[in-house]
Amino acid sequence: MSKIQEITRESWILSTFPEWGTWLNEEIEQEVVPEGNFAMWWLGCVGVWIKTPGGANLCMDLWCGRGKSTKQVKDMVRGHQMANMAGVRKLQPNLRAAPMVLDPFAINEVDFILASHYHSDHIDVNVAAAIVNNPKLDHVKFVGPWHCAELWKKWGVPEERIIVVKPGDVVKLKDVEIHALDSFDRTCLVTLPVEGAEEQGGELAGLCPSDEEMGRKAVNYVFKTPGGNIYHGADSHFSIQFAKHGKQFDIDVALNNYGENPVGIADKMTSVDLLRMAESLRCKVIIPVHHDIWTNFMASTDEIIQLWKMRKERLQYKFHPFIWEVGGKYVYPRDKDLIEYHHPRGFDDCFEHEPNIQFKSML
């Protein structure tokens, strides 16, 4: 049989996806975090992997799915947050723009799988299956707010492996202390299920949300590590309550969603919002995430850098932005002064062996 006759659509997919294979899985496993630091990798969307000197491995909001993949479906599902928000019906063209950099079925070491909220690009049935069906990972706990816990249970995650958190809760793991905080994800508040909406046929008009309802839907996290404290706001919008969190915690690195909102939509942080958030949190580094993933929300991070330069002297900013790349590693405080990331360029061993060329001035 010829080579091309052996190749099928299935063999092509298996040989190509995930695009990074197990490269990043292996990198994370092999990483020895220096004392007094933490290491962090961006997994796409707002997903991050955090590793500490004490060997704690935390995986938050890992999403291994895809966005829209066909035009045959014309309308949004009723109750979708964007449909509720703006009265739209046309299917949004949110195609996945970032590669899949981590293979969930090749995870060999992890302690907690965390979720910030139950939107489908932040909690993943594939990740749950990869963890639960791996006997080597039977110690792993799933950590998230009530709605995430209900989703995990529906998928088949054993209840005893789920830790439900609400704002104010603290969970400890090895050399990490995880604090669940109030989320400011107002998009989540207009996503069904909404308390009282079922009795009104799914209509939200006249319903008053509460702090308790938000706490069941979404949380922000602070990770207190030996290398510093990480604040993850996930899909939060700007809130003056960031200033409260900034006084509650000594925050070193903060992450939050960023993107260019289509007309009629208020879902992602703007560059101004992100800088105001950093100032309010009194953090040292602010990292935008989520701008990578959806084709219809992509935004230039140059805008953040230029705006920061315009404002930092007048407003006496004590922080700076860090512009990351999906799959990239960030070690803090080792990398604390970096402004922009570049993937390792390789070839550092050049001329350690004799080149194999015809003559020296060939190139």
Side-chain angles (χ1 to χ4, degrees):
M1 183 182 291
S2 68
K3 184 68 174 177
I4 61 172
Q5 287 178 317
E6 296 173 3
I7 296 173
T8 65
R9 183 176 186 273
E10 288 70 27
S11 69
W12 162 61
I13 292 171
L14 288 173
S15 65
T16 307
F17 182 85
E19 292 92 336
W20 280 33
T22 58
W23 179 282
L24 194 60
N25 297 72
E26 296 164 24
E27 179 179 314
I28 294 171
E29 284 184 29
Q30 294 167 10
E31 180 75 15
V32 177
V33 183
E35 291 296 326
N37 286 258
F38 66 79
M40 188 165 60
W41 291 263
W42 186 14
L43 307 179
C45 199
V46 309
V48 293
W49 190 294
I50 300 167
K51 190 172 185 178
T52 67
N57 280 283
L58 307 162
C59 181
M60 174 183 161
D61 279 18
L62 172 59
W63 173 62
C64 302
R66 64 183 184 182
K68 298 302 181 291
S69 58
T70 176
K71 289 192 171 188
Q72 294 180 28
V73 178
K74 300 300 181 184
D75 295 325
M76 284 191 183
V77 176
R78 178 172 170 79
H80 186 281
Q81 57 268 28
M82 304 303 179
N84 286 346
M85 180 188 298
V88 294
R89 294 294 178 266
K90 290 182 181 179
L91 205 63
Q92 64 163 323
N94 59 324
L95 304 171
R96 180 171 183 141
M100 182 80 298
V101 296
L102 194 80
D103 185 343
F105 290 90
I107 294 174
N108 295 312
E109 299 173 7
V110 70
D111 297 294
F112 282 176
I113 300 293
L114 300 104
S116 60
H117 63 293
Y118 64 100
H119 281 163
S120 59
D121 54 346
H122 297 262
I123 186 170
D124 195 312
V125 68
N126 302 291
V127 175
I131 300 302
V132 171
N133 295 332
N134 186 342
K136 295 188 298 184
L137 300 177
D138 58 5
H139 63 285
V140 177
K141 302 294 186 185
F142 292 75
V143 182
W146 184 85
H147 274 278
C148 292
E150 292 300 297
L151 203 50
W152 280 321
K153 285 191 284 186
K154 178 182 175 183
W155 290 341
V157 177
E159 189 166 357
E160 63 271 17
R161 297 184 63 175
I162 299 172
I163 300 174
V164 180
V165 292
K166 62 183 184 304
D169 287 348
V170 180
V171 181
K172 295 184 179 180
L173 169 70
K174 297 178 181 177
D175 55 351
V176 180
E177 196 172 87
I178 305 165
H179 293 252
L181 305 178
D182 287 309
S183 168
F184 312 120
D185 183 359
R186 293 184 283 276
T187 299
C188 207
L189 280 178
V190 299
T191 306
L192 293 179
V194 171
E195 293 178 14
E198 189 174 343
E199 293 80 0
Q200 298 184 171
E203 297 300 316
L204 307 188
L207 297 177
C208 184
S210 64
D211 291 333
E212 291 73 25
E213 182 178 6
M214 176 65 100
R216 287 188 286 271
K217 288 190 160 204
V219 294
N220 292 353
Y221 290 108
V222 165
F223 301 93
K224 300 180 79 171
T225 83
N229 298 333
I230 308 162
Y231 184 100
H232 203 314
D235 275 6
S236 285
H237 297 80
F238 179 77
S239 170
I240 61 171
Q241 292 288 319
F242 282 131
K244 178 183 178 182
H245 291 171
K247 290 192 172 182
Q248 283 181 289
F249 299 93
D250 182 13
I251 298 167
D252 294 286
V253 178
L255 303 94
N256 207 79
N257 73 87
Y258 166 64
E260 191 64 53
N261 293 295
V263 173
I265 298 297
D267 186 54
K268 300 289 181 285
M269 283 270 222
T270 68
S271 52
V272 174
D273 292 333
L274 204 70
L275 297 182
R276 292 181 68 202
M277 173 190 178
E279 183 181 27
S280 298
L281 289 174
R282 303 195 292 188
C283 63
K284 299 177 181 66
V285 180
I286 183 71
I287 304 177
V289 289
H290 214 320
H291 57 89
D292 65 299
I293 203 73
W294 296 128
T295 54
N296 61 331
F297 278 88
M298 294 180 78
S300 171
T301 51
D302 290 345
E303 182 179 322
I304 296 170
I305 293 178
Q306 294 307 316
L307 193 61
W308 171 72
K309 288 179 179 178
M310 290 169 61
R311 296 160 66 101
K312 66 174 182 170
E313 300 301 335
R314 172 174 286 198
L315 299 182
Q316 302 296 301
Y317 281 163
K318 306 300 182 186
F319 67 89
H320 66 78
F322 173 63
I323 307 304
W324 217 354
E325 294 287 346
V326 176
K329 180 175 70 174
Y330 182 72
V331 179
Y332 188 91
R334 187 193 73 184
D335 299 335
K336 64 182 176 63
D337 296 325
L338 295 182
I339 299 293
E340 293 189 71
Y341 178 85
H342 197 296
H343 288 295
R345 299 177 71 190
F347 306 103
D348 53 297
D349 61 341
C350 62
F351 293 103
E352 291 179 9
H353 300 278
E354 193 64 28
N356 181 24
I357 56 177
Q358 291 90 334
F359 55 96
K360 289 182 179 178
S361 60
M362 178 75 176
L363 300 171

